Amino acid sequence: MTTVLEKGNISIHTENIFPIIKKSLYTDHEIFLRELISNSVDAISKAKMASLAGEITNDLPEAQITVAIDKEKKTLSISDNGIGMTVDEIKKYINQVAFSSAEDFITRYGKSANDLIGHFGLGFYSAFMVAKQVEIDTLSYREGATAVHWSCDGSPEFQLSDSPRTTPGTTITLTIMDEETEYLEESRIKNLIKKYSDFVPVAIKMGDEQVNRQKALWKESPQNLTDEDYLEFYRYLYPFQEDPLLWVHLNTDYPFLLNGILFFPKLRPDVDVSKGQIKLFCNQVFVSDHCEEIIPEFLMPLRGVIDSPDIPLNVSRSALTNHRTVRRIADFISKKIGDRLKSLYNEDKAKYISSWEDVGTFVKYGALRDEKFKKQVEDLIIYRTTYQADKVAEIPKVEVDSGDDAWKEVTSEDNQPYTTLKEYLERNKEKHEKRVFYCNNAQTQSTYVDLYKNQGIEILFMDSFIDTNYFIPFLEREYTDVKFSRVDSELDSSLVEDDKANEIVDANSNKTRAEVIKEIFEKAINKPKINIKTQSLKSETQEETPPAMVLLPEAMRRFQEMTAMMQQREMKFPEEHMLVINTAHPLIENIYQLNKGAIIQGSGESPTQEMVNLMCQYVYDLALMAQRAFNAEEMTDFVARSNKVLTKLTKR
């Protein structure tokens, strides 16, 4: 017969806690398992501490937590071989809810709070979110202690009695509510153990199987770890993902305790950089997938683990951002990331370059958002360039935006190296001082890039999605005396030579050859919003230059891009643009000569005049296609004109 030792009411300090019995403790009911397992880990830690203090003379068994399910009885139990509790301790730690046993142990043994997990607050009482009755069977390691049974049905009433337990430790038994029977499924419980307690330093078993991984890599010394250790850990955390580019191991105990490993993943255009994938832990117990208030915004795309008991978990998320310790932790992480990048740049530039297309997004965004970080990395920002040194190292594959939402791997065809902006400006100060020519799409702007390259002018590739609307304007604020010009915005004077076409060719009208050519194209294209300009492009072989080019003035194009971005729409190609006709090109000369033979017939255009108009439209089509892709209607018209031109050219 069970002897009832005591009945009574649980002492609840309502000024310190939530009305937990009414189940408003946590949003997610599943948290209860994390709390109970964390308490078991604490109990095992306490046993070790008491043993070291000489209060336990017997050898401690191997630490273990056992989770068991009895579907018939609708019970879930969590057992540990930790320190256990006496009757007085149950009264103190269980019945007086507002008192923390973890704090009491710290006082007794002079240990740091970081030796115990007990940072989640009410822990044990979270069981009542899913259980209609909770029972405790416990036996303390204290000499002469007797086993105690405690039970409570979720009301403030409890009952203490004898327990049949014979070994030190504690078993918590939950009789699960009818509406919470998911917690009687083995697969559900295993998933929760792996989610929240995978890395606690105690083996958690169900039957003969150890469910948790147990080893927390971020708690290890970096000197004892290999690259494969880090890669294997990343693959475990993020299965079916490409291996990370590099990583940073965080480890400090002053002025706060922080451990962690952060990985730089390979980025893709569909990555939402505003949503983090860094896992927050507290003493190896999983807390959250969201670190937005702890990790600096520009580092949100990083992955990995942050573990710190100094991050307050009992304040609102909005309060976290202004918390002094959290701000200091964020600054520390930023600095460590900057230090890691700097050491890689100085010690292994080849790896730094091969990682740049992904890492560069972090670096640029960080420079935009954080002044301290900007100063750390401003000399590490590199750009792919057309510059050719005497000896250029092998350049790795890079990824560039192809402009059609498909990212393609391309190789730097001309062995293009990387450079910093300061190196570019210094190298080109005699050719075009305080001027930067850049390309943001290597495929669609290849014609323009080749034109500059042929004249020995260096081009920088600023082709990441952050460059156009954000980073280039940022650079212009940093370098106020430097002008940035996209290769298709205007033609530098070094690309143009004195045009012989400016000589007068018609004494009656006093028109030059260039003016005649301009009139021919204006009439043929018949689009008043197109500004047609004639220039002679420099080249040793004119056939290698384009017969015409479409240019978009820098200021106008940027304004339209910014407007489209603010209105969250795709930028339409502007109707107002410039068409430069290369008067030195043989095709333009042929059109000019052909026009001389055109006569106006009574019924309309002569076949020759029609051919001139078709050729002018065709030249414009080709120039426009070098700027952008045609839509379906434009492509249909282009094909029709092409067929017409070819038919006339082949007619005998």
Side-chain angles (χ1 to χ4, degrees):
M1 181 176 178
T2 302
T3 303
V4 177
L5 302 176
E6 184 176 342
K7 289 185 178 181
N9 291 334
I10 298 169
S11 172
I12 300 178
H13 296 192
T14 54
E15 70 273 20
N16 295 328
I17 65 168
F18 298 105
I20 55 171
I21 304 302
K22 297 184 183 296
K23 306 177 188 177
S24 59
L25 182 58
Y26 297 106
T27 304
D28 295 326
H29 287 190
E30 67 182 35
I31 298 296
F32 83 92
L33 190 62
R34 177 192 75 180
E35 298 295 293
L36 297 181
I37 289 176
S38 296
N39 287 346
S40 291
V41 174
D42 276 353
I44 290 169
S45 297
K46 291 173 183 179
K48 292 178 181 176
M49 291 159 61
S51 178
L52 291 172
E55 295 186 12
I56 298 176
T57 55
N58 297 330
D59 291 338
L60 296 178
E62 183 179 352
Q64 183 174 304
I65 297 169
T66 302
V67 179
I69 295 171
D70 188 327
K71 282 194 172 184
E72 288 187 8
K73 295 182 179 179
K74 294 186 176 180
T75 61
L76 171 69
S77 64
I78 298 93
S79 301
D80 66 68
N81 53 4
I83 196 166
M85 289 180 285
T86 64
V87 172
D88 289 339
E89 287 169 336
I90 282 211
K91 291 178 182 179
K92 186 176 183 180
Y93 302 146
I94 301 298
N95 296 345
Q96 297 181 23
V97 175
F99 192 86
S100 166
S101 61
E103 292 176 6
D104 184 51
F105 254 80
I106 293 162
T107 303
R108 287 185 60 191
Y109 295 107
K111 293 287 182 178
S112 164
N114 303 322
D115 292 333
L116 301 171
I117 292 174
H119 280 255
F120 298 108
L122 299 171
F124 168 74
Y125 273 85
S126 63
F128 287 101
M129 294 189 297
V130 300
K132 57 187 176 184
Q133 181 166 332
V134 178
E135 299 170 84
I136 302 175
D137 284 281
T138 183
L139 175 60
S140 172
Y141 265 97
R142 293 183 185 278
E143 191 173 344
T146 58
V148 185
H149 178 84
W150 178 96
S151 66
C152 179
D153 61 2
S155 69
E157 296 182 357
F158 69 89
Q159 180 173 293
L160 275 174
S161 59
D162 294 329
S163 169
R165 187 179 183 101
T166 57
T167 56
T170 300
T171 297
I172 310 290
T173 303
L174 284 64
T175 302
I176 302 298
M177 296 176 182
D178 292 339
E179 61 269 30
E180 304 286 354
T181 52
E182 63 182 281
Y183 300 112
L184 295 173
E185 298 299 328
E186 184 176 308
S187 59
R188 175 75 164 123
I189 297 301
K190 283 183 177 180
N191 286 338
L192 289 179
I193 293 171
K194 292 189 74 66
K195 177 178 180 179
Y196 291 107
S197 308
D198 204 18
F199 299 101
V200 297
V202 179
I204 303 172
K205 293 191 174 182
M206 290 187 74
D208 296 328
E209 177 188 356
Q210 179 171 327
V211 182
N212 64 326
R213 183 181 175 90
Q214 195 174 345
K215 181 181 178 182
L217 200 73
W218 62 89
K219 290 285 190 177
E220 302 284 325
S221 170
Q223 286 76 22
N224 299 332
L225 300 174
T226 65
D227 287 355
E228 189 55 36
D229 289 329
Y230 287 105
L231 291 173
E232 191 273 335
F233 180 60
Y234 183 84
R235 294 163 192 155
Y236 180 77
L237 291 178
Y238 307 100
F240 311 113
Q241 300 292 316
E242 291 185 76
D243 283 349
L245 301 164
L246 53 134
W247 48 85
V248 181
H249 198 135
L250 306 170
N251 191 344
T252 185
D253 55 11
Y254 182 82
F256 43 77
L257 184 65
L258 177 74
N259 299 98
I261 302 172
L262 296 180
F263 296 90
F264 287 84
K266 286 190 69 65
L267 291 182
R268 287 293 177 264
D270 59 351
V271 170
D272 186 347
V273 295
S274 66
K275 292 184 179 179
Q277 297 190 58
I278 297 173
K279 301 177 185 295
L280 176 62
F281 285 73
C282 179
N283 285 326
Q284 297 165 241
V285 177
F286 175 74
V287 177
S288 174
D289 268 322
H290 302 288
C291 292
E292 286 87 344
E293 293 79 15
I294 301 162
I295 301 295
E297 182 187 11
F298 66 92
L299 296 177
M300 288 311 300
L302 293 181
R303 294 175 182 171
V305 169
I306 294 292
D307 189 336
S308 175
D310 292 326
I311 296 172
L313 304 175
N314 58 344
V315 299
S316 67
R317 300 188 74 177
S318 57
L320 265 180
T321 10
N322 298 316
H323 195 279
R324 183 182 179 189
T325 300
V326 171
R327 290 201 308 270
R328 294 172 79 179
I329 287 174
D331 289 342
F332 171 79
I333 292 172
S334 297
K335 185 178 185 307
K336 294 298 288 186
I337 294 292
D339 290 344
R340 174 73 174 99
L341 292 170
K342 191 170 184 178
S343 66
L344 184 65
Y345 181 84
N346 293 328
E347 297 167 13
D348 192 348
K349 193 164 289 186
K351 183 174 182 180
Y352 184 86
I353 289 174
S354 68
S355 304
W356 177 252
E357 288 300 316
D358 293 278
V359 172
T361 302
F362 298 103
V363 176
K364 290 175 183 177
Y365 191 45
L368 287 170
R369 302 293 295 180
D370 188 298
E371 181 67 22
K372 291 180 182 177
F373 185 76
K374 185 205 79 174
K375 290 180 179 178
Q376 267 190 291
V377 301
E378 58 188 350
D379 294 330
L380 313 180
I381 298 172
I382 57 176
Y383 309 88
R384 195 160 56 92
T385 174
T386 58
Y387 173 69
Q388 293 293 302
D390 293 336
K391 292 183 179 180
V392 180
E394 182 181 350
I395 304 302
K397 283 188 174 182
V398 298
E399 291 176 337
V400 296
D401 188 347
S402 65
D404 58 359
D405 293 331
W407 280 41
K408 302 177 181 178
E409 284 197 336
V410 297
T411 304
S412 301
E413 293 179 358
D414 296 319
N415 240 6
Q416 294 167 344
Y418 283 75
T419 187
T420 65
L421 184 58
K422 288 181 180 178
E423 290 169 344
Y424 175 93
L425 292 170
E426 178 65 26
R427 197 161 46 238
N428 294 287
K429 61 183 180 182
E430 293 182 3
K431 292 183 180 179
H432 47 84
E433 188 175 15
K434 306 299 182 185
R435 192 84 178 271
V436 175
F437 295 103
Y438 72 93
C439 160
N440 74 339
N441 192 312
Q443 292 177 321
T444 61
Q445 294 162 14
S446 60
T447 301
Y448 305 87
V449 172
D450 288 342
L451 188 65
Y452 279 81
K453 282 172 60 180
N454 291 339
Q455 295 304 315
I457 298 177
E458 182 180 354
I459 305 298
L460 294 185
F461 291 87
M462 297 182 166
D463 48 16
S464 75
F465 59 86
I466 197 175
D467 285 332
T468 303
N469 291 319
Y470 300 101
F471 202 67
I472 292 173
F474 165 77
L475 290 173
E476 289 175 325
R477 293 192 297 272
E478 292 291 308
Y479 298 85
T480 53
D481 55 346
V482 176
K483 180 181 179 182
F484 287 74
S485 299
R486 204 168 82 177
V487 288
D488 60 348
S489 63
E490 60 183 289
L491 295 178
D492 186 66
S493 59
S494 60
L495 303 178
V496 180
E497 59 186 354
D498 292 336
D499 193 354
K500 296 179 181 179
N502 288 322
E503 298 172 1
I504 294 175
V505 294
D506 188 337
N508 294 326
S509 63
N510 210 32
K511 291 180 180 178
T512 65
R513 175 172 169 270
E515 289 172 332
V516 173
I517 291 173
K518 180 178 178 180
E519 286 183 354
I520 293 171
F521 274 84
E522 286 177 338
K523 180 182 177 182
I525 296 172
N526 193 26
K527 291 185 177 180
K529 291 187 177 181
I530 299 177
N531 178 17
I532 297 177
K533 187 176 182 180
T534 54
Q535 287 184 309
S536 177
L537 303 182
K538 283 184 181 178
S539 178
E540 295 181 3
T541 308
Q542 278 299 330
E543 284 84 351
E544 294 179 356
T545 62
M549 303 179 75
V550 171
L551 301 180
L552 299 176
E554 188 81 11
M556 178 194 74
R557 189 201 74 247
R558 285 202 205 178
F559 175 76
Q560 292 182 342
E561 287 174 341
M562 186 60 67
T563 301
M565 184 184 69
M566 293 177 67
Q567 295 176 355
Q568 295 185 335
R569 60 174 175 82
E570 187 178 351
M571 176 185 159
K572 294 182 179 179
F573 191 81
E575 292 184 7
E576 295 183 26
H577 52 267
M578 181 183 293
L579 175 64
V580 175
I581 307 298
N582 179 13
T583 56
H585 197 280
L587 176 57
I588 303 303
E589 173 64 17
N590 292 344
I591 292 174
Y592 170 72
Q593 294 296 336
L594 189 63
N595 184 72
K596 282 184 176 181
I599 58 174
I600 303 296
Q601 296 179 339
S603 58
E605 292 181 343
S606 67
T608 303
Q609 184 63 53
E610 184 182 6
M611 186 62 177
V612 168
N613 292 342
L614 277 173
M615 294 299 292
C616 289
Q617 290 175 346
Y618 197 72
V619 167
Y620 173 60
D621 283 339
L622 294 175
L624 197 57
M625 288 179 76
Q627 261 283 1
R628 65 174 177 86
F630 279 0
N631 60 35
E633 183 180 351
E634 290 170 332
M635 183 55 70
T636 300
D637 292 343
F638 172 70
V639 171
R641 276 193 294 273
S642 300
N643 291 334
K644 203 169 183 179
V645 168
L646 292 173
T647 301
K648 286 183 173 292
L649 288 174
T650 54
K651 187 176 181 181
R652 294 183 180 180

